[in-house]
Amino acid sequence: MWSVDKPPMDVGATFDTCISRIRNKDLKARLKAAKQTILDDSQAFDVRASAAELHLVPQGVGVANQVTTAEMVALYDGRLASKAGPGRSIYAAIQLLPRDGRCPYCDHRDVSTLDHVLPKTLFPSLAVTPLNLVGSCKDCNKAKLTAAPSNSSDAVLHPYFEDISSQIWLQAMVVEQTVCAVVFRVKAQSQWSDDLNARLRKQFETLGLARLYTQQAAREMSGIRRNLIRVYDAGGGGAVAVKRELKHQWESWSEESANSWKSALYGALHKNAWFCDGGFRLGNS
């Protein structure tokens, strides 16, 4: 979970683009009549997101009594997300914002869709609001479901507004057993509020990141096993040489992203004496 630059596109211009090709005169007139409400609600969303108060954004049924929820959902699906829609270039531009094309929620899988931070079915006036749209992978998008936050600890961390990279909160632990494994958890930060710690922990659980990272760590350790055996045996280097090799990997991955599963993995591995002294040999063949 890491921060992303805000989309530069204006909500009003985005909305105008989406409705530009609507032929149904009645629908287009009603959408135009609802535009000010959409602008106002988008501004209110910006204010609440900046203050980490997304749980205080009120849900809405339709927009300004002019447009139904279903019509706003259709506006997004057919005119922003659709490859043939007039707003598709805006959709694609938002998809490109996350660094290296990686989902900002899991920091692992590729961006393949846009996620509504607040679901469009419950917050229809924000259906095409760029600040409510974040490039994500399909798995994280699906895992978030369409629930609205009922309190502050339920609110998802918004990648455009909240940067938690200043602290190392992702922790990995080596499980010393017949088949070596590494498990992951969120480490509470004393510098953070109880609310922020709770939100991060809940989001980590909701997205199933502990399982994802443990699976990826198992594959990574399987991939480096042959090299670690070579390093261990070469010139009698033993555990010291393996520790040095793993530390180099940790330093490299930490510089790229201090809270990636790889930096957490190598941080745990190079500090674990059991692993460095042969534990790396124990894995699925």
Side-chain angles (χ1 to χ4, degrees):
M1 283 169 273
W2 40 278
S3 62
V4 178
D5 290 339
K6 291 181 181 180
M9 53 284 295
D10 174 75
V11 61
T14 298
F15 179 76
D16 289 342
T17 298
C18 289
I19 69 171
S20 62
R21 299 179 191 171
I22 294 177
R23 295 181 179 179
N24 184 313
K25 294 182 178 180
D26 173 68
L27 175 59
K28 191 165 188 176
R30 288 187 290 110
L31 284 165
K32 286 183 176 181
K35 180 178 178 179
Q36 190 57 52
T37 297
I38 289 170
L39 295 176
D40 293 342
D41 288 356
S42 296
Q43 176 60 32
F45 173 87
D46 191 346
V47 172
R48 290 300 188 187
S50 297
E53 295 176 341
L54 287 180
H55 62 291
L56 297 179
V57 176
Q59 295 184 42
V61 180
V63 181
N65 297 318
Q66 299 288 339
V67 185
T68 67
T69 296
E71 287 171 331
M72 286 301 299
V73 170
L75 185 70
Y76 170 81
D77 290 341
R79 300 182 179 279
L80 189 69
S82 172
K83 291 182 179 179
R88 180 65 187 192
S89 61
I90 298 173
Y91 181 99
I94 296 175
Q95 274 191 314
L96 291 173
L97 291 175
R99 185 181 61 188
D100 299 330
R102 291 203 308 271
C103 173
Y105 294 122
C106 65
D107 193 21
H108 176 68
R109 293 178 289 246
D110 292 339
V111 169
S112 57
T113 188
L114 291 188
D115 170 65
H116 284 81
V117 178
L118 292 181
K120 59 185 180 296
T121 54
L122 300 178
F123 302 86
S125 63
L126 303 173
V128 297
T129 298
L131 288 179
N132 192 39
L133 299 171
V134 175
S136 74
C137 68
K138 290 182 179 178
D139 288 331
C140 285
N141 188 22
K142 182 178 179 180
K144 282 178 70 269
L145 301 177
T146 57
S150 58
N151 54 60
S152 58
S153 63
D154 284 341
V156 65
L157 275 72
H158 197 316
Y160 296 152
F161 295 89
E162 297 176 90
D163 184 357
I164 57 173
S165 63
S166 61
Q167 302 296 324
I168 299 178
W169 52 264
L170 181 61
Q171 187 175 57
M173 294 155 288
V174 178
V175 180
E176 301 174 7
Q177 57 186 21
T178 303
V179 176
C180 179
V182 173
V183 295
F184 295 80
R185 71 180 182 91
V186 169
K187 181 181 179 182
Q189 302 296 307
S190 60
Q191 301 93 328
W192 292 351
S193 66
D194 291 341
D195 182 69
L196 178 55
N197 280 310
R199 290 172 62 210
L200 178 56
R201 184 170 59 252
K202 183 169 184 177
Q203 186 165 324
F204 190 80
E205 294 170 354
T206 298
L207 299 179
L209 297 186
R211 182 171 181 270
L212 171 65
Y213 294 166
T214 293
Q215 290 173 335
Q216 296 305 315
R219 295 188 180 100
E220 183 77 6
M221 288 188 293
S222 178
I224 65 174
R225 186 177 300 121
R226 182 184 296 274
N227 181 54
L228 294 184
I229 292 173
R230 179 190 61 78
V231 170
Y232 188 95
D233 294 340
V240 173
V242 170
K243 178 181 177 67
R244 182 169 55 247
E245 175 76 10
L246 293 169
K247 186 177 181 180
H248 288 161
Q249 290 289 336
W250 169 65
E251 291 170 342
S252 179
W253 283 110
S254 293
E255 184 174 338
E256 196 271 342
S257 178
N259 285 299
S260 71
W261 67 264
K262 281 193 175 182
S263 61
L265 169 66
Y266 283 106
L269 295 182
H270 92 269
K271 295 176 183 177
N272 187 276
W274 171 84
F275 184 85
C276 292
D277 200 23
F280 58 85
R281 299 177 188 269
L282 304 176
N284 292 312
S285 57

